[in-house]
Amino acid sequence: QVQLVESGGGVVQPGRSLRVSCVGSGRTFSAYAVGWFRQAPGKEREFLAVMSWTGTTLYYADSVKGRFTISTDNAKNTVYLQMNSLKPEDTAIYSCAADLRLRRLLLKESDYWGQGTQVTVSS
């Protein structure tokens, strides 16, 4: 069993940066792909970024490419999402997921999800 816990959300002004974190426990993550997703009120879950734990495979959604960066810290079993140049439309609940197959994450499917952390971009 894998448990994922996100943190780091909050209220931030447009144009500023924020980093959210996702700590995994229960298993070592060297075999897992990890990804970040978000869901705004009344909208479907949106894929943002996914990477293999080794970092050899990496994908971003066009909507965040160049602004968001996914990274991992193996020693801390943690995956990060660095978000720069935030916009009001980035307001959503941000969730991480882990799966043995990266392709499933690209399809927004996973056996393991965190509970999410709220990010609000507002002046």
Side-chain angles (χ1 to χ4, degrees):
Q1 191 72 9
V2 173
Q3 294 82 40
L4 301 171
V5 179
E6 299 94 338
S7 63
V11 180
V12 62
Q13 293 179 332
R16 303 296 292 269
S17 298
L18 192 68
R19 188 180 76 167
V20 291
S21 304
C22 171
V23 179
S25 61
R27 295 280 180 88
T28 57
F29 283 93
S30 60
Y32 284 80
V34 289
W36 282 99
F37 304 79
R38 69 186 178 190
Q39 188 164 17
K43 295 187 177 181
E44 293 187 355
R45 177 179 287 159
E46 178 185 8
F47 160 79
L48 299 177
V50 63
M51 68 181 292
S52 58
W53 192 256
T54 58
T56 54
T57 305
L58 188 65
Y59 294 104
Y60 289 98
D62 288 341
S63 59
V64 302
K65 195 175 297 182
R67 295 193 300 126
F68 290 10
T69 303
I70 186 172
S71 63
T72 58
D73 184 329
N74 292 358
K76 296 181 179 180
N77 260 12
T78 300
V79 56
Y80 302 100
L81 186 69
Q82 176 68 43
M83 303 181 288
N84 299 328
S85 302
L86 283 163
K87 306 173 183 179
E89 52 263 43
D90 294 319
T91 296
I93 295 174
Y94 285 69
S95 301
C96 63
D99 202 277
L100 290 172
R101 290 185 287 174
L102 186 144
R103 182 172 297 182
R104 291 192 72 209
L105 293 174
L106 291 173
L107 297 173
K108 297 183 289 185
E109 298 174 355
S110 179
D111 289 332
Y112 305 109
W113 293 89
Q115 84 291 347
T117 185
Q118 176 71 46
V119 173
T120 301
V121 184
S122 174
S123 55

